[in-house]
Amino acid sequence: MSLPRTVDWDGEAVVIVEQTLLPHRLERVRLTDVGAVIDAIVRLAVRGAPAIGVTGALGVALAARLDPARRAITDAAEAIATARPTAVNLRWAVERTLRRLDDGPEGLLDEALTILAEDAATCRALGERGADFVVERCGARPLTVQTHCNAGALATVEWGTALGIVRSLHARGLIAEVLVDETRPLLQGARITAFELEADGIAYRVQADGAGPCAIARGMVDVVIVGADRVAANGDTANKLGTYPLALAAARAGVPFVVAAPESTLDPATPDGSHIEIEQRAEREVLELAGVRITPPGARAWNPAFDVTPHDLVTAVATERRIWFPGPGGDLPQG
Ligand code: MRU
């Protein structure tokens, strides 16, 4: 099954796949004003670092069509850029779009559509480069891949980053199975990654988040491949909560831990992970499961959306342009 683009522009509005309905319903919705764009990003109706970047860029273009006054556009851009703080792609895409402010609404739209087109091409290139690296490390044999959250087509415009590598490996006949963490509390793995793999006929099993390190320790996993929301200059990597335990287990077991991220997710301005702002989300996401309260009335929750994996646990960062090995003296090379 081929998925529609996760984010698109229909000539008048931003169109997204409404991801809160997956896997039961694949529906697209039109976002016709800036408030709707921000709401979709905050609710995770559109999610994944590259996808929210593209949505943010198109949101700026939409704002300019609705009110071409400079102040209105820059205010809208700031509101969009701060909708979610951890994924650097969002601010990056909004600021890149704003550089065309002097060119008016058409210039802003042109830039946003360029970012959209680049994202699709980027993921294909990243997938091939990452797959080459995995084969080099693990050998050209059917591999079991452990992943977390959703860094797939639905986290980008199409194809995906971590799942882009999986798709490239699958096209070469090199995927035995993908182990998919369910990814509490919002279940992006169980709902969205599983949906994508099933649609593509790629073998997978869903597991509770705690099973990931266990599978690695038991020798079931050949390589861990995850996405990223922000990679600091030293290689410290923010990604969905639950990534760090996989990295710890992988290091202990000698299993490669690969971060798949477009160049737009690399943030040379952030020196290390301690400077990455981690989004805190509503307590009810943890206290409830699919909208049903599962905890006693007095329960409180701590709900960070992401964790930070220190760079010494990262085997490599695969981008569309390079394989980067963070480590001593290996801070983010420019370009
Ligand atoms: O909260 P989410 O669902 O936006 O978190 C998504 C992730 O953590 C992804 O792994 C990351 O954004 C990379 S997407 C290619």
Side-chain angles (χ1 to χ4, degrees):
M1 184 175 89
S2 81
L3 294 167
R5 280 181 159 174
T6 304
V7 189
D8 216 340
W9 175 255
D10 72 0
E12 286 172 359
V14 185
V15 183
I16 59 159
V17 172
E18 170 46 273
Q19 298 191 37
T20 61
L21 302 176
L22 290 170
H24 305 299
R25 296 200 334 250
L26 178 61
E27 284 182 19
R28 301 174 88 202
V29 293
R30 299 178 78 235
L31 310 175
T32 54
D33 61 44
V34 173
V37 169
I38 293 171
D39 180 61
I41 293 172
V42 169
R43 284 191 304 111
L44 273 53
V46 60
R47 43 145 302 279
I52 62 174
V54 172
T55 306
L58 290 171
V60 174
L62 176 65
R65 283 170 72 91
L66 297 175
D67 184 349
R70 277 181 92 88
R71 183 61 193 263
I73 298 169
T74 55
D75 283 354
E78 189 55 25
I80 293 168
T82 51
R84 295 191 76 190
T86 305
V88 69
N89 306 61
L90 180 54
R91 181 165 285 283
W92 169 84
V94 164
E95 287 183 355
R96 180 173 154 186
T97 306
L98 268 188
R99 279 189 235 131
R100 298 284 302 276
L101 193 54
D102 289 344
D103 300 338
E106 288 312 314
L108 293 167
L109 180 60
D110 180 61
E111 192 63 25
L113 292 175
T114 302
I115 293 171
L116 184 150
E118 281 178 10
D119 188 75
T122 290
C123 285
R124 304 269 171 174
L126 190 163
E128 283 298 294
R129 191 178 291 280
D132 288 346
F133 174 72
V134 169
V135 169
E136 194 185 301
R137 278 296 164 112
C138 301
R141 61 190 170 89
L143 299 168
T144 296
V145 175
Q146 166 77 55
T147 194
H148 190 69
C149 194
N150 173 265
L154 286 155
T156 60
V157 171
E158 55 190 39
W159 199 248
T161 59
L163 288 194
I165 297 178
V166 167
R167 286 189 163 96
S168 291
L169 289 168
H170 177 66
R172 303 177 196 187
L174 298 179
I175 292 292
E177 183 177 40
V178 183
L179 294 177
V180 178
D181 284 350
E182 60 174 351
T183 320
R184 274 281 285 154
L186 297 178
L187 306 176
Q188 291 93 329
R191 296 188 302 109
I192 304 174
T193 295
F195 176 80
E196 286 196 33
L197 294 174
E198 191 153 309
D200 277 11
I202 300 174
Y204 72 93
R205 276 186 287 175
V206 179
Q207 61 193 14
D209 293 334
C214 174
I216 293 167
R218 291 174 66 150
M220 292 166 60
V221 173
D222 295 303
V223 59
V224 180
I225 310 176
V226 295
D229 285 81
R230 187 184 298 247
V231 183
N234 72 342
D236 291 352
T237 296
N239 191 49
K240 179 55 58 190
L241 185 77
T243 301
Y244 176 44
L246 296 177
L248 283 170
R252 170 88 189 218
V255 168
F257 180 90
V258 178
V259 172
E263 293 281 331
S264 54
T265 303
L266 310 187
D267 182 12
T270 296
D272 61 55
S274 69
H275 293 84
I276 299 175
E277 183 182 348
I278 300 298
E279 176 185 6
Q280 295 288 332
R281 293 189 59 86
E283 292 185 39
R284 71 179 149 66
E285 291 180 349
V286 173
L287 301 174
E288 298 174 354
L289 187 57
V292 177
R293 182 94 184 185
I294 55 168
T295 44
R300 298 291 312 271
W302 180 57
N303 188 16
F306 304 98
D307 60 24
V308 177
T309 297
H311 65 273
D312 56 298
L313 301 180
V314 175
T315 307
V317 180
T319 82
E320 69 275 26
R321 288 216 297 265
R322 55 189 162 182
I323 301 293
W324 169 34
F325 301 99
D331 279 11
L332 193 55
Q334 299 294 308

